[in-house]
Amino acid sequence: MEFVKGIDESKKQALEVAEEAREKEWHHPSFLAQLFAGKCDWNLIYPYPEQTPEDKKTGDEFLDKLEKFLRENLNPDEVDRTGEMPKHVLDGLAKLGCFAMKIPPTYGGLGLSQVNYNRAIQLVSSYCGSTAVWLSAHQSIGVPQPLLLFGTEEQKKKYLPRFAKGEISAFALTEPEVGSDPAKMKTTAMPVENGNYYLLNGEKLWCTNGPVADIMVVMAQTPMTVDGKEKKKITAFIVEKTMPGVESTHRCRFMGLNGIQNGLMRFKDVKVPKENIIWGLGQGLKLALVTLNTGRLTIPAAACGAAKWCLNVSRIWAKEREQWGAPIGHHDAIAYKIASMAATTFAMESVTWLTSRLADLKKTDIRLEAAMSKLFCTEAIWRIIDDTVQIRGGRGYETADSLRGRGEKGIPVERAMRDLRINLIIEGTSEIMRLFISREAMDQHLKFIFPLLNPKIKPAEKIKILFAAIKYYTLWYPKQWMVWKNTPASVVMPRELQGHANYVEKTARKLARNLFQVIMRYQAGLEKRERVLFRLVNIGCDLFGIAASCSRAAMLHAKNPSDQGPVELANLLSREAERRINRQFHGLFKNDDRLGYKLSRDVLEGKYAWLEEGVILQAY
């Protein structure tokens, strides 16, 4: 990426680091990667991949025990009020195996599939968001997941059984001055004693489970020799809290999720043996990105649990509460909110269980699907909880304790809203998700463009690449205008959904050619046109929602043709999504982006400081 011109050095360095860390090869097909390339490969998602009966039985038995334990032992409002997770709850969860759900039985764990693990997170999140975070931060991105993917057998034997006994893990990447820009990471690990140990120094912020973690993955800059030059690369280390120099210096408090343990971790001359390096020197950032491919899937599952809870609360209240002589659910404004909430919840489930099942089958590359599931479901649940608060009115804004204090049901809608807001931020903000997805979506085009712009590539090689590109696009681009093609005959949809399936098929080609046109139009300046890229990602996101919903509805309808419910839900979701898609296409080249950007610069430079007058401003 050093050949990209027109950007400052620090941003160029950040792009280089990110580009080096990303997975460059596609070893398995991806539905979304092909969708952005103009091909809707229904074979990857149709028939809808169901959980096997045996695996479902295993999950059902575990979920029954987990639900019983939570109902009898955990008071979510008390956790929210006190900010503490009771020890007997953590001990009970450990006894159930909840801190080893994905760890194979060989190492003492439950060995649950991704689907069953996500079902467990869905269940817990519908009851207590803080508890869900304790479990998911520990094994979705904490030590167990990267160890299972990249750990040596010695590392697995040493650490995985400890988690089966209830020890807690954490993941330490973010720093006080570094969010999504790893090039600026300041934590270092320097080799000592002939490279047998590394001295770890630095701070990590917002480390979920950090203050109570027994073991954590810590990312640090390590010196390496690359092409004869010494460079700093990010390496992942297993660090135990008993190592001298490990300190939790501050517990962070947030808008919601009051029961989680999240803090500022400090490492001062922590002596870590080289055997605690996961995967190898310089592989840390890539390890983090690969780990997140499946780790992110717990967030959509948690969002689904919350969505189901919101739908239940809204449905019951909309039937009970009467205004102007009828239940509020019979009034058009509220009725449509309820309908849209149900259709969106169905779509969230369709996307989540599709991607989770694909993760178990291991026949597809799900890096795009996982990121898109996270984006789709987190933005959807924020709309749903907002509507839930609105439907409940003043009772949605009032705390559960206050409601109970005056004799009403203590329904914690207010707590749910506070707990759910973080989903748009953690494990990649919505903005970072869109940038990640857009980069992966452009991969088929950038493999031609990058070499042509790279001054290190010899002219003769560039000529060969240029002719290969001309040959490819001479065939590929005209195909993207062939909008007459419909869904293959092998994809059997209920009549009400056939048009939506055809829409995905045709719109995939429109998306592909518009992505190509955007790249050609803006070229090196495209990295500054984030809103344009975001619109393309939004289109892909909604197409994914339509395709997954229609595939699942077709499966459910085939099982029970007399039940039109799934078809109606997918139909409404698809209609709403198609209207959003059409607006996004319209805004690709006709928008107010330039005006908005100019105005924002003026605001930042103080031109509109007069808008801030007449209020009490404090110096923070």
Side-chain angles (χ1 to χ4, degrees):
M1 291 288 287
E2 68 273 14
F3 47 83
V4 177
K5 300 178 181 179
I7 58 176
D8 61 56
E9 194 61 34
S10 63
K11 191 164 187 178
K12 187 187 298 184
Q13 185 181 4
L15 289 172
E16 287 177 7
V17 171
E19 191 64 23
E20 288 177 10
R22 65 176 291 272
E23 295 177 80
K24 295 178 175 59
E25 301 295 329
W26 296 82
H27 298 292
H28 298 287
S30 162
F31 177 79
L32 280 171
Q34 294 191 44
L35 197 74
F36 280 105
K39 180 182 178 182
C40 182
D41 191 350
W42 287 100
N43 291 326
L44 296 176
I45 67 167
Y46 180 94
Y48 190 86
E50 291 184 85
Q51 186 180 20
T52 65
E54 297 78 16
D55 193 49
K56 186 177 185 305
K57 182 175 182 292
T58 298
D60 290 344
E61 292 171 354
F62 176 69
L63 293 180
D64 286 344
K65 291 185 289 187
L66 179 57
E67 180 177 352
K68 184 175 186 293
F69 172 81
L70 291 174
R71 287 185 181 276
E72 294 177 354
N73 295 276
L74 178 64
N75 183 335
D77 288 321
E78 182 182 352
V79 170
D80 183 65
R81 189 186 317 116
T82 64
E84 299 296 333
M85 188 65 63
K87 185 179 183 303
H88 76 273
V89 172
L90 294 175
D91 290 343
L93 290 172
K95 189 175 181 180
L96 282 172
C98 291
F99 291 105
M101 285 189 275
K102 293 182 71 178
I103 293 174
T106 310
Y107 305 104
L110 299 182
L112 296 185
S113 64
Q114 184 69 40
V115 172
N116 279 335
Y117 170 63
N118 282 350
R119 289 176 67 197
I121 295 298
Q122 173 184 258
L123 179 77
V124 177
S125 70
S126 70
Y127 191 63
C128 178
S130 291
T131 306
V133 172
W134 271 81
L135 297 175
S136 63
H138 160 74
Q139 55 206 320
S140 295
I141 59 173
V143 181
Q145 185 67 17
L147 263 193
L148 288 169
L149 290 173
F150 306 110
T152 64
E153 188 58 33
E154 291 74 16
Q155 289 171 338
K156 292 176 183 178
K157 288 180 178 178
K158 181 178 180 179
Y159 290 107
L160 293 180
R162 292 170 61 175
F163 301 128
K165 296 175 183 177
E167 292 196 27
I168 306 296
S169 77
F171 180 80
L173 173 63
T174 303
E175 297 182 1
E177 303 300 322
V178 183
S180 300
D181 184 359
K184 294 181 179 179
M185 185 179 292
K186 295 180 180 179
T187 299
T188 60
M190 306 302 292
V192 294
E193 299 183 24
N194 296 320
N196 290 318
Y197 292 90
Y198 284 79
L199 278 186
L200 183 67
N201 285 280
E203 289 185 333
K204 295 295 183 179
L205 180 62
W206 297 326
C207 186
T208 305
N209 288 354
V212 295
D214 301 286
I215 309 164
M216 63 191 82
V217 176
V218 181
M219 299 293 176
Q221 294 270 20
T222 51
M224 288 182 63
T225 301
V226 180
D227 298 329
K229 297 180 181 179
E230 187 171 285
K231 287 188 175 183
K232 286 187 176 180
K233 297 284 187 177
I234 298 171
T235 300
F237 293 86
I238 302 172
V239 178
E240 301 188 45
K241 73 175 181 181
T242 55
M243 292 177 175
V246 177
E247 183 184 6
S248 174
T249 61
H250 176 76
R251 180 182 173 186
C252 303
R253 300 288 184 173
F254 302 101
M255 175 192 297
L257 297 174
N258 290 337
I260 68 172
Q261 288 281 345
N262 181 297
L264 179 68
M265 305 299 297
R266 183 170 295 156
F267 307 94
K268 186 175 181 180
D269 291 333
V270 180
K271 194 174 180 181
V272 185
K274 68 177 183 181
E275 290 79 15
N276 282 31
I277 292 174
I278 308 179
W279 201 6
L281 282 171
Q283 297 283 61
L285 187 56
K286 190 168 186 177
L287 174 146
L289 294 176
V290 175
T291 298
L292 283 170
N293 283 342
T294 50
R296 283 195 181 105
L297 293 180
T298 55
I299 298 179
C304 281
K308 288 170 171 286
W309 181 86
C310 287
L311 180 60
N312 177 263
V313 168
S314 300
R315 175 179 62 82
I316 292 174
W317 181 247
K319 287 180 65 177
E320 291 179 352
R321 180 66 168 171
E322 290 195 5
Q323 292 283 293
W324 302 301
I328 61 172
H330 290 188
H331 296 292
D332 192 51
I334 301 300
Y336 194 86
K337 287 183 187 293
I338 299 288
S340 182
M341 190 183 296
T344 303
T345 300
F346 180 80
M348 291 168 66
E349 275 200 301
S350 301
V351 164
T352 297
W353 304 126
L354 168 65
T355 312
S356 298
R357 183 62 179 143
L358 292 179
D360 280 332
L361 293 172
K362 295 180 173 60
K363 295 179 180 179
T364 55
D365 189 317
I366 64 163
R367 74 183 89 161
L368 271 172
E369 282 76 2
M372 197 71 93
S373 296
K374 195 269 184 185
L375 177 64
F376 183 91
C377 291
T378 55
E379 298 212 328
I381 189 55
W382 187 242
R383 295 193 302 270
I384 286 175
I385 186 59
D386 185 55
D387 280 343
T388 303
V389 171
Q390 195 70 18
I391 289 169
R392 284 279 292 169
R395 291 169 177 82
Y397 194 69
E398 191 173 359
T399 68
D401 284 342
S402 178
L403 287 165
R404 278 190 290 266
R406 58 184 185 80
E408 290 202 28
K409 296 177 182 177
I411 302 175
V413 173
E414 171 268 347
R415 167 165 62 84
M417 177 172 249
R418 287 188 287 107
D419 286 352
L420 288 167
R421 183 59 183 85
I422 192 60
N423 288 322
L424 295 164
I425 299 172
I426 53 172
E427 295 184 29
T429 65
S430 292
E431 291 73 24
I432 292 298
M433 285 295 91
R434 287 184 170 91
L435 289 175
F436 171 81
I437 292 167
S438 63
R439 169 60 188 91
E440 296 299 332
M442 291 188 292
D443 195 40
Q444 65 154 341
H445 304 297
L446 297 184
K447 69 182 180 183
F448 290 120
I449 296 171
F450 278 176
L452 294 175
L453 296 176
N454 192 340
K456 295 182 179 181
I457 301 294
K458 294 179 180 179
E461 186 65 25
K462 285 188 178 182
I463 291 173
K464 288 174 62 178
I465 295 170
L466 178 61
F467 277 108
I470 291 171
K471 180 181 178 181
Y472 174 80
Y473 286 111
T474 298
L475 296 173
W476 178 84
Y477 188 69
K479 287 182 180 179
Q480 308 317 310
W481 291 91
M482 297 178 183
V483 297
W484 45 264
K485 184 181 176 185
N486 288 327
T487 310
S490 58
V491 180
V492 181
M493 291 284 171
R495 178 179 52 82
E496 296 88 343
L497 302 182
Q498 191 61 55
H500 301 310
N502 292 343
Y503 178 87
V504 175
E505 187 80 38
K506 296 174 182 177
T507 308
R509 288 189 291 283
K510 185 177 180 181
L511 172 61
R513 67 175 184 262
N514 274 273
L515 175 61
F516 177 72
Q517 290 164 6
V518 161
I519 294 172
M520 292 298 99
R521 177 170 177 173
Y522 297 112
Q523 299 181 39
L526 184 58
E527 61 93 16
K528 297 179 181 178
R529 303 307 299 260
E530 292 177 353
R531 284 177 57 80
V532 172
L533 291 174
F534 287 8
R535 292 184 184 101
L536 292 166
V537 172
N538 291 343
I539 292 167
C541 191
D542 271 325
L543 287 176
F544 187 39
I546 296 172
S549 298
C550 287
S551 179
R552 180 163 171 248
M555 177 267 292
L556 294 173
H557 183 263
K559 288 184 175 182
N560 186 6
S562 63
D563 183 7
Q564 283 292 108
V567 174
E568 291 176 351
L569 292 167
N571 188 15
L572 179 59
L573 178 281
S574 299
R575 288 168 177 263
E576 289 186 335
E578 286 164 18
R579 284 193 290 271
R580 290 194 296 267
I581 288 170
N582 294 337
R583 288 195 297 269
Q584 297 291 336
F585 272 125
H586 180 76
L588 279 178
F589 302 108
K590 294 181 180 180
N591 54 62
D592 301 315
D593 292 352
R594 288 186 179 276
L595 174 61
Y597 187 77
K598 178 186 178 302
L599 184 60
S600 74
R601 294 297 294 266
D602 290 341
V603 172
L604 291 173
E605 291 167 11
K607 183 176 179 180
Y608 296 106
W610 52 269
L611 285 171
E612 302 162 13
E613 295 173 0
V615 297
I616 299 174
L617 300 176
Q618 302 179 55
Y620 294 104

